[in-house]
Amino acid sequence: MVSRGGILANVATYAAAVLIAAFFLVPLTWLVSLALRTPQEIFFGASRFIPENPTLDNFGQVLRDRGFLNYLWNALKLSGLGALGSVIVAAPAAYAFSRFDFRGRGVMMMAILAVQMVSGLVILIPLYRYMGWLGLLETHVGVIAIYIAIGLPITVWLLKTAFDGVPIVLEEAAAIDGYGHFETFLRITLPLASPGMASALILNMILNWSQFLVPFIMLSRDAQWPISVAIYNYAGSTTASTTHLLAAACLITILPAILAFLLLQRAIVSALTAGAIKG
Amino acid sequence: MPKPIAQALSRRTATTPEASSIPYWAWLLPVMLVIGAFYIYPIIDALRLAFTDATLTGGAESYTVRSLQRVLSNPALPTILSNTAIFTAASVVGQQLLGLSVALLVVRGERHHLPGMLVLRTIVLAAWVVPGIANGVIWSMLFSESPFGAINGVLRLLELPTVAWLSNPANAMLSAIIANVWQGTAFSMIVLYAALKSVDPSLYEAAAVDGAPAWERFWFITLPQLKAAILVNSILITIQTLNTFDAILALTGGGPGRATEVLSLFAYNTVFYQFDLAGGSALSILLLLISLVLAALYMLFMPKRDM
């Protein structure tokens, strides 16, 4: 039986939980409320929290007439290829950190983590000029290259954790069968670590989806923008009378990230937690 | 497989000569090349550029300390630095307190089998995956002083006076901090949740035998056990907060005036709006130095056994 003090404490727990949940949910529900309104209802403000004539037209207008379908596609392409690149570049190093015992291993892993703390701005200022010299300004290739570099530190750590979980006896069996070390890595370790690699990939995609500064600086042509840049420019060009469209565009921006997160919440949380405990 | 055996096996493999037919550095090469090209070289170059008169538009550049002097004697710099300090400190404290509260609630809920606490965790995390720029756009709709502004709309319904959330300088800073805490809390929550789960339960059992009240258990057991996690987390989110400005850019654009212009935004504006590459490089190096000094300061308070 729960004591009276226990019940009181449970009530207090729920009261606090509801307050905190409200703080985190209100912005998103307000966004949904605005996105579903007709232009007239925007001006009713909070009194029309639940729209009287909810409409999905705003989404169609934003996707079709304002080019957001293209921005979505650009964002998917940039964040997907960037994430894939990070995983490919990070995998061999993560494998070495997981399997080999060499001098300076711990120091190198900490150094890679420290790199993560360098502001994107510090590296972007010189990189902007290099990309210009290389002819990669205004290209998706240039943006993807920078995404790969930015995602690298966390990916090395996530993949090392994933490889740590693959039993070493399986690799030894492969070695007895005459596999070389790199072949073992490709054919045995990588497939067995695929759940961990998938969550590293998705987490990278979510982080890349949020990237704003890199594409904003690198790309000036409308047709190449990912959705983060598009929403910023769109917000600057809208007025009070088109707020319903801005809200719909904003919802379209955040929904893919939230859906990806909800689908893979367990994997993402455990990946973050593993990093948190070790870091 | 039992852990000791796994460890013994891994040690055996690690020292077997044929296991390292490819030298270890070859495995590290791709990462090292990328870090060298995209981090080390640019940082060195930013440092070099700070001592030149380079502009974004190109042209010949020569070495000088005049750019550095100009940046450091800019009359706006003290305002920018104090904005940065207020924004960062308030964000870090806010995120840690709220993150700790959520983590404690979720852990307590799990221990007492209270349903719904996982939902709370999910809601908090959902805010974390919202892109920073969208965060600024969303909060500008909440703080807006137009009819569709949510917060003033509710205040009007309650017949309370409305607040100039974004057009009053002091309020604008508060608004930017609230938006930032909304997004950043999830990270603290996850780190502190993991740390709470790893506290040895026997400590609490001993305290319960002694009849220690809840707040004493929190103050004398939980908090000291969390010290390392809180410090590491503070380093991470301090640096993260110093480095990002996309939410501020979309919410206030640094204004009104310079009321919410932080150092990273100032550096960005210097390079990409005033085309002053040298000055912007100097500011970004200053940002890097501040990050390093703060990280070192936090490390001083780290409990020795955790290092």
Side-chain angles (χ1 to χ4, degrees):
Chain A
M1 208 186 91
V2 186
S3 70
R4 245 183 77 189
I7 292 176
L8 268 179
N10 288 352
V11 169
T13 303
Y14 274 114
V18 166
L19 271 178
I20 292 172
F23 172 63
F24 284 93
L25 269 184
V26 161
L28 297 176
T29 47
W30 183 249
L31 188 67
V32 173
S33 163
L34 289 179
L36 295 176
R37 294 187 197 194
T38 56
Q40 293 76 31
E41 281 190 307
I42 287 295
F43 293 95
F44 287 108
S47 62
R48 243 355 127 73
F49 178 68
I50 299 170
E52 246 168 41
N53 308 303
T55 171
L56 292 173
D57 284 354
N58 301 333
F59 296 99
Q61 266 198 54
V62 166
L63 285 173
R64 221 174 332 103
D65 308 337
R66 314 274 165 184
F68 270 75
L69 211 52
N70 185 41
Y71 302 140
L72 271 178
W73 166 244
N74 287 340
L76 186 67
K77 179 181 158 195
L78 292 176
S79 45
L81 291 176
L84 194 65
S86 293
V87 169
I88 290 173
V89 176
Y95 184 77
F97 285 133
S98 167
R99 290 294 190 256
F100 308 150
D101 205 7
F102 51 87
R103 272 188 59 177
R105 187 178 68 163
V107 174
M108 278 172 97
M109 289 200 63
M110 289 317 284
I112 287 177
L113 204 63
V115 157
Q116 177 109 45
M117 302 190 177
V118 176
S119 161
L121 198 62
V122 179
I123 60 168
L124 262 176
I125 293 171
L127 280 179
Y128 180 82
R129 297 218 299 179
Y130 303 152
M131 290 295 174
W133 291 331
L134 294 171
L136 292 176
L137 277 183
E138 310 289 340
T139 68
H140 279 174
V141 175
V143 174
I144 291 167
I146 301 181
Y147 280 10
I148 291 175
I150 290 178
L152 207 50
I154 190 174
T155 313
V156 171
W157 277 76
L158 291 176
L159 292 185
K160 182 200 173 275
T161 312
F163 294 150
D164 284 348
V166 176
I168 209 147
V169 279
L170 295 172
E171 294 181 10
E172 288 174 336
I176 292 167
D177 286 348
Y179 276 32
H181 214 142
F182 193 69
E183 211 175 354
T184 310
F185 164 67
L186 276 185
R187 299 215 183 158
I188 309 289
T189 317
L190 284 187
L192 285 171
S194 50
M197 292 180 56
S199 53
L201 188 82
I202 301 290
L203 188 63
N204 264 302
M205 281 186 78
I206 292 176
L207 294 174
N208 288 346
W209 192 265
S210 300
Q211 267 295 347
F212 167 72
L213 196 57
V214 177
F216 186 61
I217 288 173
M218 297 270 298
L219 307 170
S220 63
R221 283 212 314 276
D222 183 298
Q224 291 194 311
W225 287 342
I227 198 156
S228 55
V229 176
I231 189 82
Y232 174 68
N233 284 306
Y234 190 50
S237 72
T238 52
T239 58
S241 59
T242 52
T243 299
H244 53 298
L245 294 179
L246 179 60
C250 201
L251 204 56
I252 291 171
T253 309
I254 68 174
L255 266 184
I258 291 185
L259 287 180
F261 158 71
L262 287 179
L263 281 175
L264 295 146
Q265 173 170 199
R266 189 187 297 260
I268 291 172
V269 169
S270 68
L272 282 175
T273 317
I277 291 172
K278 291 194 182 100
Chain B
M1 189 180 340
K3 227 176 171 185
I5 298 178
Q7 277 168 354
L9 280 173
S10 82
R11 217 167 288 134
R12 201 182 75 213
T13 313
T15 49
T16 312
E18 71 261 17
S20 45
S21 51
I22 308 174
Y24 74 85
W25 56 263
W27 295 84
L28 302 179
L29 204 58
V31 164
M32 293 305 148
L33 284 177
V34 173
I35 288 181
F38 286 86
Y39 287 96
I40 312 284
Y41 189 46
I43 290 172
I44 294 170
D45 204 39
L47 200 57
R48 182 186 71 82
L49 283 169
F51 292 96
T52 65
D53 55 2
T55 64
L56 197 65
T57 45
E61 58 193 52
S62 55
Y63 288 92
T64 169
V65 289
R66 221 169 282 152
S67 311
L68 207 60
Q69 284 171 342
R70 195 180 55 240
V71 161
L72 293 179
S73 62
N74 187 326
L77 194 61
T79 313
I80 303 288
L81 289 177
S82 94
N83 286 345
T84 311
I86 293 169
F87 179 71
T88 308
S91 294
V92 171
V93 172
Q95 285 175 34
Q96 296 273 41
L97 286 179
L98 202 53
L100 180 60
S101 311
V102 181
L104 285 169
L105 285 175
V106 175
V107 169
R108 183 174 192 281
E110 282 179 352
R111 199 183 305 131
H112 295 264
H113 307 289
L114 304 178
M117 287 302 155
L118 216 60
V119 178
L120 177 67
R121 196 185 74 177
T122 306
I123 292 171
V124 175
L125 273 162
W128 183 69
V129 297
V130 168
I133 208 81
N135 174 24
V137 175
I138 294 171
W139 280 93
S140 70
M141 292 175 179
L142 289 150
F143 287 129
S144 170
E145 291 149 39
S146 325
F148 57 82
I151 299 175
N152 278 347
V154 171
L155 291 176
R156 269 192 293 270
L157 281 183
L158 299 173
E159 294 180 4
L160 291 168
T162 58
V163 177
W165 293 105
L166 298 174
S167 59
N168 171 307
N171 291 345
M173 179 53 93
L174 180 67
S175 303
I177 291 166
I178 291 174
N180 197 44
V181 168
W182 180 75
Q183 184 166 38
T185 293
F187 188 78
S188 300
M189 170 194 78
I190 287 290
V191 173
L192 296 175
Y193 172 80
L196 278 172
K197 295 287 262 188
S198 63
V199 175
D200 184 356
S202 64
L203 290 173
Y204 291 108
E205 282 157 22
V209 171
D210 291 347
W215 69 268
E216 276 190 10
R217 292 200 298 268
F218 176 74
W219 193 256
F220 292 110
I221 300 175
T222 311
L223 267 190
Q225 292 286 317
L226 290 183
K227 193 177 170 190
I230 291 174
L231 279 168
V232 169
N233 201 18
S234 296
I235 297 178
L236 294 177
I237 58 183
T238 301
I239 292 171
Q240 221 173 324
T241 310
L242 280 172
N243 290 346
T244 50
F245 59 87
D246 39 7
I248 292 187
L249 192 66
L251 183 64
T252 65
R258 289 193 186 277
T260 53
E261 190 166 353
V262 291
L263 187 55
S264 50
L265 180 56
F266 184 54
Y268 165 79
N269 284 333
T270 305
V271 176
F272 292 99
Y273 281 102
Q274 295 164 22
F275 307 116
D276 181 1
L277 196 62
S281 298
L283 287 169
S284 72
I285 294 291
L286 179 63
L287 193 63
L288 195 59
L289 284 179
I290 293 176
S291 303
L292 284 175
V293 168
L294 286 178
L297 273 180
Y298 285 123
M299 294 302 272
L300 281 182
F301 292 100
M302 194 70 90
K304 284 291 173 287
R305 63 194 158 80
D306 287 310
M307 286 186 67

